[in-house]
Amino acid sequence: MSPPSPTVIEMRGIVTRFGAQVVHDGIDLSVQRGEVLGLVGGSGSGKTTLLREMIGLQNPSAGEVHAFGEAVFAARRTHQTKALRQRWGVLFQHGALFTALSVTDNIALPLRELRALDEPLIQELVRLKLAMVGLKPEDGRRHPAELSGGMIKRVGLARALALDAELLLLDEPTSGLDPVASEQFVDLIAELRSTLGLTVALVTHDLDTLVDLCDRIAVLADRKLIVIGTLDEVIACDHPFIQSYFRGHRGGRLLSKRQ
Amino acid sequence: MASEAPGLTLDQDGKSPRIRLTGQWVLRHLSGSINKLRRQLARCKSDPQTIWDLESIDGLDSTGALLLWRHWGRRRPAQLRLRTEYEPLFQRLEQMPAPAPALKRKPLEWVARLGAAMLSAATHLRELVALLGQLTLDILSFPARPDRIPWREISANIYKSGGRALLITGLVGLLIGIVMSYLSALQLRLLGGERFIVNLMGLSVTRELGPLLAAILIAGRSGSSITAELGVMRLTQELDALATMGISPFKRVLLPKVLALAITMPLLAFWTMAAAIFGGMLVAQSELNITFGQFLSDLPGAIPIVTYWIALAKSIAFGVVIGLVSCHFGLRIKPNTESLGYETTNAVVTAITLVILTDAIFAVGLRDIGWQE
Ligand SMILES: Nc1ncnc2c1ncn2[C@@H]1O[C@H](COP(=O)(O)OP(=O)(O)OP(=O)(O)O)[C@@H](O)[C@H]1O
Ligand SMILES: [Mg+2]
């Protein structure tokens, strides 16, 4: 990418408290255009919360969040919200599919909401997105309750991709997918990135995805962002969490394979 | 990055026509001008010599690609100039599977639907009876294993469905009592039978109004909450989780709710009666000059003791009906939000209807009992 790439998401001095519990204590994080940023950290370290704050679903106790140069939480109350929201697609950790709608209608919903496309075009776009995430056209008729855990993830991803948004926020996109599907996911994101110039921020516990896909990795631990940088930079850090996360039994095996 | 509007220019100068696409062919920029672009595209007759030049495009996503693809008749034009990074978009379109065949509509579907509706009424009845049977069996098993009685759940449910309903039932009872006695007071004054207000209010409130009012309020209040609660437990697989631990959802979840309603319903009914009679007393004092003391000393004589027993029996029956119906509909909820709303409505409507039906059965069955000469 060209050196002075503009920032898509900028978080400054984020503090998050739930009652007495402090989840984030002064986090500065930015997502650059065109990059894939991986967010890692132990369970309950506040990755999902940080992602929710990026898109204004949750207001941090202190600090500022800007997306595409606009203050996210302030935009919630203005007409700009809508324009902003069409520029990102979100995959929730637990899918958050609309249970009353079929798979097709779930994916078509954001497209229909634009009120610009006609129904045949929407149907075909839905079919394309389903194929992208490896689902069959017949699956479109099913309802979320009739899907397997991995299928829910895929439909959630297809819905996040529906608008071909510039920014994708994915919360554990590969958890619940079999290894083949995870690999397909990595290929899909890599492809979308080259065609659409996509920016991605993703939370993952999957070291393979991290190694194969992410340009930069941000590590959350002890309520702080302890390091952000390329994989090598991250591994070079001697924080105990990183030592155990990447140099533990599994991480070590993976990294040695990479070399 | 340039954010130009998508556009196309037709160039006829050379040997073969050349169509040059410019700007951002992405959904965000297309959605405003899609019809204009369609018309422009339609004007470009696509013959094999036409050169489609996409090289100076600023952005292309699946919507833009699909728009072109449909215009091209779902194949690549013979002369396509394309940057390599957009290659995968068209490869995906080439590989796109055919749409799933439409589901055939069966002939005479409305006959089938009518039949299904009739059968479903029968199914409801059967399932309700089965539920009642299951709960009865559970109750019968308690004496053998008294340590298995879910006391905590029962008491929690009594608080939820009874304790928290005191305010609303009391208020409604009071208001209805005032309205009723006010109307009767006007008539009684015409006839000169002011003191009959005690008999009129006492009997109608204890025998009919109190239990029925309380039951209808509780059907709306607790009935809907029980159905929704069970529905969400189904949605979130909590019922499955209970079953895998060997904990019977019937015993642990449903039974305490039904039992609690059977216990609280009569209590709430008497509470509502008291509130309604108090309302009657207020009106009797202000409109008919009957003091509280007079009213209260006449009251025991006006209401035969059997009326209380009838009210008690009725209220227990109402409680069981509300509990059973709302549990039944709660268990029928399918794991989606629409079904949750649908069955909750069904539960409340059915519970209120059945309460009134039960009341009518009591009224007819006990028509000769409890009237003073
Ligand atoms: N709405 C909430 N109310 C109270 N506490 C919350 C809330 N949401 C999250 N938390 C707490 O904040 C912390 C971070 O939660 P979060 O969901 O962001 O974790 P996570 O990093 O995504 O974990 P995982 O990898 O398990 O998904 C947890 O300790 C959680 O208990
Ligand atoms: Mg999470």
PDB file of all heavy atoms in Angstrom, chain A residues 118-143:
ATOM      1  N   ASP A 118     -33.366  -3.661  -7.678  1.00  0.00           N
ATOM      2  CA  ASP A 118     -34.607  -4.406  -7.879  1.00  0.00           C
ATOM      3  C   ASP A 118     -34.446  -5.840  -7.386  1.00  0.00           C
ATOM      4  O   ASP A 118     -33.335  -6.327  -7.189  1.00  0.00           O
ATOM      5  CB  ASP A 118     -35.042  -4.362  -9.346  1.00  0.00           C
ATOM      6  CG  ASP A 118     -33.956  -4.881 -10.256  1.00  0.00           C
ATOM      7  OD1 ASP A 118     -33.450  -5.985  -9.998  1.00  0.00           O
ATOM      8  OD2 ASP A 118     -33.591  -4.171 -11.214  1.00  0.00           O
ATOM      9  N   GLU A 119     -35.564  -6.502  -7.203  1.00  0.00           N
ATOM     10  CA  GLU A 119     -35.557  -7.797  -6.534  1.00  0.00           C
ATOM     11  C   GLU A 119     -34.716  -8.863  -7.266  1.00  0.00           C
ATOM     12  O   GLU A 119     -33.948  -9.574  -6.605  1.00  0.00           O
ATOM     13  CB  GLU A 119     -37.003  -8.260  -6.319  1.00  0.00           C
ATOM     14  CG  GLU A 119     -37.201  -9.390  -5.332  1.00  0.00           C
ATOM     15  CD  GLU A 119     -36.557  -9.165  -3.959  1.00  0.00           C
ATOM     16  OE1 GLU A 119     -36.472  -7.990  -3.520  1.00  0.00           O
ATOM     17  OE2 GLU A 119     -36.134 -10.150  -3.346  1.00  0.00           O
ATOM     18  N   PRO A 120     -34.835  -8.987  -8.606  1.00  0.00           N
ATOM     19  CA  PRO A 120     -33.994 -10.016  -9.251  1.00  0.00           C
ATOM     20  C   PRO A 120     -32.506  -9.795  -9.006  1.00  0.00           C
ATOM     21  O   PRO A 120     -31.766 -10.749  -8.757  1.00  0.00           O
ATOM     22  CB  PRO A 120     -34.328  -9.865 -10.742  1.00  0.00           C
ATOM     23  CG  PRO A 120     -35.640  -9.186 -10.784  1.00  0.00           C
ATOM     24  CD  PRO A 120     -35.743  -8.329  -9.567  1.00  0.00           C
ATOM     25  N   LEU A 121     -32.092  -8.532  -9.048  1.00  0.00           N
ATOM     26  CA  LEU A 121     -30.682  -8.229  -8.811  1.00  0.00           C
ATOM     27  C   LEU A 121     -30.300  -8.614  -7.383  1.00  0.00           C
ATOM     28  O   LEU A 121     -29.247  -9.201  -7.134  1.00  0.00           O
ATOM     29  CB  LEU A 121     -30.452  -6.734  -9.044  1.00  0.00           C
ATOM     30  CG  LEU A 121     -29.002  -6.280  -9.176  1.00  0.00           C
ATOM     31  CD1 LEU A 121     -28.369  -6.883 -10.405  1.00  0.00           C
ATOM     32  CD2 LEU A 121     -28.920  -4.769  -9.236  1.00  0.00           C
ATOM     33  N   ILE A 122     -31.180  -8.294  -6.436  1.00  0.00           N
ATOM     34  CA  ILE A 122     -30.905  -8.627  -5.034  1.00  0.00           C
ATOM     35  C   ILE A 122     -30.782 -10.133  -4.872  1.00  0.00           C
ATOM     36  O   ILE A 122     -29.843 -10.630  -4.247  1.00  0.00           O
ATOM     37  CB  ILE A 122     -32.019  -8.064  -4.126  1.00  0.00           C
ATOM     38  CG1 ILE A 122     -31.927  -6.541  -4.074  1.00  0.00           C
ATOM     39  CG2 ILE A 122     -31.916  -8.645  -2.719  1.00  0.00           C
ATOM     40  CD1 ILE A 122     -33.005  -5.878  -3.265  1.00  0.00           C
ATOM     41  N   GLN A 123     -31.724 -10.860  -5.472  1.00  0.00           N
ATOM     42  CA  GLN A 123     -31.688 -12.315  -5.341  1.00  0.00           C
ATOM     43  C   GLN A 123     -30.373 -12.882  -5.875  1.00  0.00           C
ATOM     44  O   GLN A 123     -29.781 -13.782  -5.291  1.00  0.00           O
ATOM     45  CB  GLN A 123     -32.867 -12.954  -6.099  1.00  0.00           C
ATOM     46  CG  GLN A 123     -34.225 -12.702  -5.476  1.00  0.00           C
ATOM     47  CD  GLN A 123     -34.372 -13.413  -4.144  1.00  0.00           C
ATOM     48  OE1 GLN A 123     -33.736 -14.429  -3.895  1.00  0.00           O
ATOM     49  NE2 GLN A 123     -35.202 -12.857  -3.259  1.00  0.00           N
ATOM     50  N   GLU A 124     -29.939 -12.314  -6.999  1.00  0.00           N
ATOM     51  CA  GLU A 124     -28.723 -12.840  -7.594  1.00  0.00           C
ATOM     52  C   GLU A 124     -27.496 -12.474  -6.760  1.00  0.00           C
ATOM     53  O   GLU A 124     -26.576 -13.281  -6.600  1.00  0.00           O
ATOM     54  CB  GLU A 124     -28.582 -12.306  -9.021  1.00  0.00           C
ATOM     55  CG  GLU A 124     -27.776 -13.242  -9.880  1.00  0.00           C
ATOM     56  CD  GLU A 124     -28.045 -13.037 -11.363  1.00  0.00           C
ATOM     57  OE1 GLU A 124     -29.030 -12.352 -11.707  1.00  0.00           O
ATOM     58  OE2 GLU A 124     -27.267 -13.540 -12.160  1.00  0.00           O
ATOM     59  N   LEU A 125     -27.523 -11.267  -6.196  1.00  0.00           N
ATOM     60  CA  LEU A 125     -26.425 -10.877  -5.309  1.00  0.00           C
ATOM     61  C   LEU A 125     -26.361 -11.802  -4.102  1.00  0.00           C
ATOM     62  O   LEU A 125     -25.280 -12.214  -3.673  1.00  0.00           O
ATOM     63  CB  LEU A 125     -26.618  -9.437  -4.834  1.00  0.00           C
ATOM     64  CG  LEU A 125     -26.072  -8.349  -5.755  1.00  0.00           C
ATOM     65  CD1 LEU A 125     -26.495  -6.979  -5.267  1.00  0.00           C
ATOM     66  CD2 LEU A 125     -24.554  -8.437  -5.831  1.00  0.00           C
ATOM     67  N   VAL A 126     -27.533 -12.135  -3.565  1.00  0.00           N
ATOM     68  CA  VAL A 126     -27.572 -13.030  -2.409  1.00  0.00           C
ATOM     69  C   VAL A 126     -26.972 -14.374  -2.779  1.00  0.00           C
ATOM     70  O   VAL A 126     -26.178 -14.952  -2.027  1.00  0.00           O
ATOM     71  CB  VAL A 126     -29.019 -13.205  -1.906  1.00  0.00           C
ATOM     72  CG1 VAL A 126     -29.099 -14.340  -0.906  1.00  0.00           C
ATOM     73  CG2 VAL A 126     -29.530 -11.922  -1.293  1.00  0.00           C
ATOM     74  N   ARG A 127     -27.323 -14.849  -3.962  1.00  0.00           N
ATOM     75  CA  ARG A 127     -26.803 -16.136  -4.401  1.00  0.00           C
ATOM     76  C   ARG A 127     -25.280 -16.084  -4.531  1.00  0.00           C
ATOM     77  O   ARG A 127     -24.565 -17.020  -4.170  1.00  0.00           O
ATOM     78  CB  ARG A 127     -27.437 -16.487  -5.741  1.00  0.00           C
ATOM     79  CG  ARG A 127     -27.694 -17.949  -5.917  1.00  0.00           C
ATOM     80  CD  ARG A 127     -28.960 -18.258  -6.710  1.00  0.00           C
ATOM     81  NE  ARG A 127     -29.294 -17.306  -7.734  1.00  0.00           N
ATOM     82  CZ  ARG A 127     -28.874 -17.358  -8.995  1.00  0.00           C
ATOM     83  NH1 ARG A 127     -28.049 -18.300  -9.388  1.00  0.00           N
ATOM     84  NH2 ARG A 127     -29.281 -16.464  -9.865  1.00  0.00           N
ATOM     85  N   LEU A 128     -24.804 -14.942  -5.039  1.00  0.00           N
ATOM     86  CA  LEU A 128     -23.356 -14.768  -5.185  1.00  0.00           C
ATOM     87  C   LEU A 128     -22.667 -14.792  -3.822  1.00  0.00           C
ATOM     88  O   LEU A 128     -21.655 -15.452  -3.631  1.00  0.00           O
ATOM     89  CB  LEU A 128     -23.104 -13.439  -5.896  1.00  0.00           C
ATOM     90  CG  LEU A 128     -21.672 -13.109  -6.267  1.00  0.00           C
ATOM     91  CD1 LEU A 128     -21.182 -14.085  -7.316  1.00  0.00           C
ATOM     92  CD2 LEU A 128     -21.590 -11.689  -6.822  1.00  0.00           C
ATOM     93  N   LYS A 129     -23.250 -14.081  -2.853  1.00  0.00           N
ATOM     94  CA  LYS A 129     -22.640 -14.027  -1.514  1.00  0.00           C
ATOM     95  C   LYS A 129     -22.678 -15.410  -0.864  1.00  0.00           C
ATOM     96  O   LYS A 129     -21.733 -15.817  -0.189  1.00  0.00           O
ATOM     97  CB  LYS A 129     -23.375 -13.044  -0.605  1.00  0.00           C
ATOM     98  CG  LYS A 129     -23.497 -11.666  -1.159  1.00  0.00           C
ATOM     99  CD  LYS A 129     -22.180 -10.943  -1.184  1.00  0.00           C
ATOM    100  CE  LYS A 129     -22.329  -9.722  -2.081  1.00  0.00           C
ATOM    101  NZ  LYS A 129     -21.153  -8.929  -2.238  1.00  0.00           N
ATOM    102  N   LEU A 130     -23.785 -16.122  -1.066  1.00  0.00           N
ATOM    103  CA  LEU A 130     -23.871 -17.472  -0.508  1.00  0.00           C
ATOM    104  C   LEU A 130     -22.764 -18.341  -1.084  1.00  0.00           C
ATOM    105  O   LEU A 130     -22.092 -19.081  -0.360  1.00  0.00           O
ATOM    106  CB  LEU A 130     -25.236 -18.092  -0.820  1.00  0.00           C
ATOM    107  CG  LEU A 130     -26.397 -17.688   0.076  1.00  0.00           C
ATOM    108  CD1 LEU A 130     -27.689 -18.317  -0.415  1.00  0.00           C
ATOM    109  CD2 LEU A 130     -26.143 -18.119   1.512  1.00  0.00           C
ATOM    110  N   ALA A 131     -22.565 -18.233  -2.398  1.00  0.00           N
ATOM    111  CA  ALA A 131     -21.520 -19.036  -3.032  1.00  0.00           C
ATOM    112  C   ALA A 131     -20.154 -18.635  -2.496  1.00  0.00           C
ATOM    113  O   ALA A 131     -19.287 -19.482  -2.286  1.00  0.00           O
ATOM    114  CB  ALA A 131     -21.586 -18.868  -4.547  1.00  0.00           C
ATOM    115  N   MET A 132     -19.956 -17.334  -2.261  1.00  0.00           N
ATOM    116  CA  MET A 132     -18.670 -16.858  -1.753  1.00  0.00           C
ATOM    117  C   MET A 132     -18.309 -17.508  -0.432  1.00  0.00           C
ATOM    118  O   MET A 132     -17.156 -17.816  -0.176  1.00  0.00           O
ATOM    119  CB  MET A 132     -18.718 -15.349  -1.521  1.00  0.00           C
ATOM    120  CG  MET A 132     -18.437 -14.518  -2.719  1.00  0.00           C
ATOM    121  SD  MET A 132     -18.480 -12.812  -2.174  1.00  0.00           S
ATOM    122  CE  MET A 132     -18.033 -11.989  -3.666  1.00  0.00           C
ATOM    123  N   VAL A 133     -19.318 -17.682   0.445  1.00  0.00           N
ATOM    124  CA  VAL A 133     -19.009 -18.243   1.755  1.00  0.00           C
ATOM    125  C   VAL A 133     -19.202 -19.755   1.768  1.00  0.00           C
ATOM    126  O   VAL A 133     -19.162 -20.380   2.818  1.00  0.00           O
ATOM    127  CB  VAL A 133     -19.871 -17.603   2.869  1.00  0.00           C
ATOM    128  CG1 VAL A 133     -19.568 -16.137   2.977  1.00  0.00           C
ATOM    129  CG2 VAL A 133     -21.350 -17.830   2.629  1.00  0.00           C
ATOM    130  N   GLY A 134     -19.412 -20.320   0.570  1.00  0.00           N
ATOM    131  CA  GLY A 134     -19.447 -21.776   0.472  1.00  0.00           C
ATOM    132  C   GLY A 134     -20.770 -22.403   0.854  1.00  0.00           C
ATOM    133  O   GLY A 134     -20.802 -23.529   1.343  1.00  0.00           O
ATOM    134  N   LEU A 135     -21.858 -21.680   0.625  1.00  0.00           N
ATOM    135  CA  LEU A 135     -23.163 -22.279   0.894  1.00  0.00           C
ATOM    136  C   LEU A 135     -23.899 -22.490  -0.427  1.00  0.00           C
ATOM    137  O   LEU A 135     -23.646 -21.805  -1.415  1.00  0.00           O
ATOM    138  CB  LEU A 135     -24.005 -21.367   1.800  1.00  0.00           C
ATOM    139  CG  LEU A 135     -23.523 -21.243   3.241  1.00  0.00           C
ATOM    140  CD1 LEU A 135     -24.302 -20.163   3.960  1.00  0.00           C
ATOM    141  CD2 LEU A 135     -23.675 -22.567   3.969  1.00  0.00           C
ATOM    142  N   LYS A 136     -24.813 -23.453  -0.412  1.00  0.00           N
ATOM    143  CA  LYS A 136     -25.561 -23.773  -1.625  1.00  0.00           C
ATOM    144  C   LYS A 136     -26.793 -22.868  -1.731  1.00  0.00           C
ATOM    145  O   LYS A 136     -27.296 -22.390  -0.715  1.00  0.00           O
ATOM    146  CB  LYS A 136     -26.023 -25.233  -1.572  1.00  0.00           C
ATOM    147  CG  LYS A 136     -24.870 -26.217  -1.668  1.00  0.00           C
ATOM    148  CD  LYS A 136     -25.373 -27.615  -1.908  1.00  0.00           C
ATOM    149  CE  LYS A 136     -26.097 -28.209  -0.725  1.00  0.00           C
ATOM    150  NZ  LYS A 136     -25.247 -28.449   0.464  1.00  0.00           N
ATOM    151  N   PRO A 137     -27.268 -22.656  -2.973  1.00  0.00           N
ATOM    152  CA  PRO A 137     -28.458 -21.806  -3.121  1.00  0.00           C
ATOM    153  C   PRO A 137     -29.645 -22.333  -2.310  1.00  0.00           C
ATOM    154  O   PRO A 137     -30.427 -21.553  -1.778  1.00  0.00           O
ATOM    155  CB  PRO A 137     -28.764 -21.878  -4.616  1.00  0.00           C
ATOM    156  CG  PRO A 137     -27.509 -22.297  -5.263  1.00  0.00           C
ATOM    157  CD  PRO A 137     -26.739 -23.099  -4.268  1.00  0.00           C
ATOM    158  N   GLU A 138     -29.763 -23.660  -2.182  1.00  0.00           N
ATOM    159  CA  GLU A 138     -30.895 -24.226  -1.426  1.00  0.00           C
ATOM    160  C   GLU A 138     -30.864 -23.797   0.038  1.00  0.00           C
ATOM    161  O   GLU A 138     -31.904 -23.705   0.686  1.00  0.00           O
ATOM    162  CB  GLU A 138     -30.888 -25.768  -1.453  1.00  0.00           C
ATOM    163  CG  GLU A 138     -31.090 -26.387  -2.806  1.00  0.00           C
ATOM    164  CD  GLU A 138     -29.763 -26.511  -3.527  1.00  0.00           C
ATOM    165  OE1 GLU A 138     -29.002 -27.442  -3.260  1.00  0.00           O
ATOM    166  OE2 GLU A 138     -29.504 -25.623  -4.362  1.00  0.00           O
ATOM    167  N   ASP A 139     -29.644 -23.572   0.553  1.00  0.00           N
ATOM    168  CA  ASP A 139     -29.549 -23.192   1.967  1.00  0.00           C
ATOM    169  C   ASP A 139     -30.242 -21.869   2.246  1.00  0.00           C
ATOM    170  O   ASP A 139     -30.579 -21.575   3.388  1.00  0.00           O
ATOM    171  CB  ASP A 139     -28.076 -23.093   2.386  1.00  0.00           C
ATOM    172  CG  ASP A 139     -27.388 -24.440   2.324  1.00  0.00           C
ATOM    173  OD1 ASP A 139     -28.059 -25.450   2.600  1.00  0.00           O
ATOM    174  OD2 ASP A 139     -26.191 -24.490   2.002  1.00  0.00           O
ATOM    175  N   GLY A 140     -30.432 -21.091   1.172  1.00  0.00           N
ATOM    176  CA  GLY A 140     -31.056 -19.789   1.348  1.00  0.00           C
ATOM    177  C   GLY A 140     -32.455 -19.871   1.907  1.00  0.00           C
ATOM    178  O   GLY A 140     -32.943 -18.928   2.516  1.00  0.00           O
ATOM    179  N   ARG A 141     -33.108 -21.012   1.675  1.00  0.00           N
ATOM    180  CA  ARG A 141     -34.490 -21.130   2.132  1.00  0.00           C
ATOM    181  C   ARG A 141     -34.598 -21.437   3.614  1.00  0.00           C
ATOM    182  O   ARG A 141     -35.644 -21.290   4.210  1.00  0.00           O
ATOM    183  CB  ARG A 141     -35.166 -22.269   1.371  1.00  0.00           C
ATOM    184  CG  ARG A 141     -35.876 -21.757   0.177  1.00  0.00           C
ATOM    185  CD  ARG A 141     -36.815 -22.804  -0.340  1.00  0.00           C
ATOM    186  NE  ARG A 141     -36.680 -22.780  -1.771  1.00  0.00           N
ATOM    187  CZ  ARG A 141     -36.232 -23.779  -2.494  1.00  0.00           C
ATOM    188  NH1 ARG A 141     -35.908 -24.919  -1.918  1.00  0.00           N
ATOM    189  NH2 ARG A 141     -36.121 -23.662  -3.780  1.00  0.00           N
ATOM    190  N   ARG A 142     -33.506 -21.917   4.185  1.00  0.00           N
ATOM    191  CA  ARG A 142     -33.590 -22.340   5.588  1.00  0.00           C
ATOM    192  C   ARG A 142     -33.694 -21.157   6.528  1.00  0.00           C
ATOM    193  O   ARG A 142     -33.370 -20.036   6.175  1.00  0.00           O
ATOM    194  CB  ARG A 142     -32.325 -23.105   5.935  1.00  0.00           C
ATOM    195  CG  ARG A 142     -32.133 -24.299   5.051  1.00  0.00           C
ATOM    196  CD  ARG A 142     -31.474 -25.314   5.869  1.00  0.00           C
ATOM    197  NE  ARG A 142     -30.747 -26.263   5.062  1.00  0.00           N
ATOM    198  CZ  ARG A 142     -30.129 -27.278   5.607  1.00  0.00           C
ATOM    199  NH1 ARG A 142     -30.121 -27.412   6.915  1.00  0.00           N
ATOM    200  NH2 ARG A 142     -29.512 -28.142   4.860  1.00  0.00           N
ATOM    201  N   HIS A 143     -34.102 -21.469   7.730  1.00  0.00           N
ATOM    202  CA  HIS A 143     -34.151 -20.444   8.767  1.00  0.00           C
ATOM    203  C   HIS A 143     -32.983 -20.651   9.718  1.00  0.00           C
ATOM    204  O   HIS A 143     -32.485 -21.762   9.842  1.00  0.00           O
ATOM    205  CB  HIS A 143     -35.493 -20.520   9.501  1.00  0.00           C
ATOM    206  CG  HIS A 143     -36.575 -19.825   8.748  1.00  0.00           C
ATOM    207  ND1 HIS A 143     -37.043 -18.590   9.094  1.00  0.00           N
ATOM    208  CD2 HIS A 143     -37.246 -20.184   7.630  1.00  0.00           C
ATOM    209  CE1 HIS A 143     -37.957 -18.215   8.233  1.00  0.00           C
ATOM    210  NE2 HIS A 143     -38.118 -19.163   7.336  1.00  0.00           N
TER     211      HIS A 143
END
